[in-house]
Amino acid sequence: NTDGNGGHALSRGVETQATYEPVRGLTLRTNWSFTDAFFKYADASVLVTAPGQRLVYVPELQGSVSGDYSWPIGNWEGTVGADWSYTGDQYDVTNYLLRSYTLVNSRAGVKRGNFTAGLFVKNLADKRAITGDQGFFPGFNPYTVTIAQPRTVGVSFMQRF
């Protein structure tokens, strides 16, 4: 059973974010976090190994960087943007290491009043990053993972009322 009290844990860290607008219409953003989360000692009744083991599904480092630019086009406003995100290594419930991954998204569109139309691409590089799993138990069950959404290209429309 992996659901339950896993012993005493300690989690501490730091998070920061910043926004910078170097010129009119350009907005740059970043945010980063570091988390030191581990078991001080473990309870033998649950699936944890030893004191000092990192908490499951908690990456030590996560962060993102994004940029958006907008400019006038007659009575409309054009927009373009992109973001890059990083998720560090993390362990699953069986102490199996899930490797770090990065994802990139992009977008472009137009706005006028309460109406917005745009194009987007999510997971631009079509990364098949493992974002989670059910635990690795050799010989007991198939190893099932959750992967990042494949590259997705789309159109969006929005009307504010």
Side-chain angles (χ1 to χ4, degrees):
N1 181 1
T2 60
D3 296 325
N5 187 351
H8 288 73
L10 179 64
S11 179
R12 56 188 170 207
V14 63
E15 183 175 333
T16 185
Q17 63 182 17
T19 301
Y20 180 55
E21 297 179 15
V23 295
R24 183 182 166 129
L26 178 61
T27 304
L28 305 173
R29 294 178 191 85
T30 186
N31 67 65
W32 291 92
S33 66
F34 172 80
T35 306
D36 182 23
F38 60 92
F39 290 102
K40 290 170 41 177
Y41 56 87
D43 180 339
S45 69
V46 294
L47 190 60
V48 294
T49 55
Q53 175 184 337
R54 283 175 39 193
L55 293 183
V56 298
Y57 303 114
V58 179
E60 284 185 322
L61 185 63
Q62 295 185 92
S64 68
V65 177
S66 68
D68 289 285
Y69 183 68
S70 62
W71 70 98
I73 306 173
N75 292 331
W76 294 78
E77 178 182 0
T79 63
V80 293
D83 58 80
W84 173 90
S85 65
Y86 171 81
T87 301
D89 292 345
Q90 53 191 309
Y91 290 93
D92 73 6
V93 295
T94 59
N95 213 23
Y96 183 76
L97 182 65
L98 303 177
R99 295 287 179 191
S100 64
Y101 59 92
T102 61
L103 297 174
V104 176
N105 304 306
S106 63
R107 58 201 163 273
V110 292
K111 296 184 208 176
R112 183 174 181 183
N114 293 334
F115 177 75
T116 303
L119 304 171
F120 62 86
V121 181
K122 294 183 180 181
N123 193 359
L124 189 64
D126 202 23
K127 293 258 183 122
R128 295 293 197 259
I130 297 175
T131 61
D133 70 359
Q134 67 179 23
F136 183 65
F137 300 93
F140 292 104
N141 64 333
Y143 182 53
T144 304
V145 299
T146 302
I147 62 169
Q149 179 178 353
R151 180 185 304 123
T152 304
V153 179
V155 178
S156 64
F157 298 97
M158 183 173 67
Q159 175 68 47
R160 294 180 190 255
F161 297 97

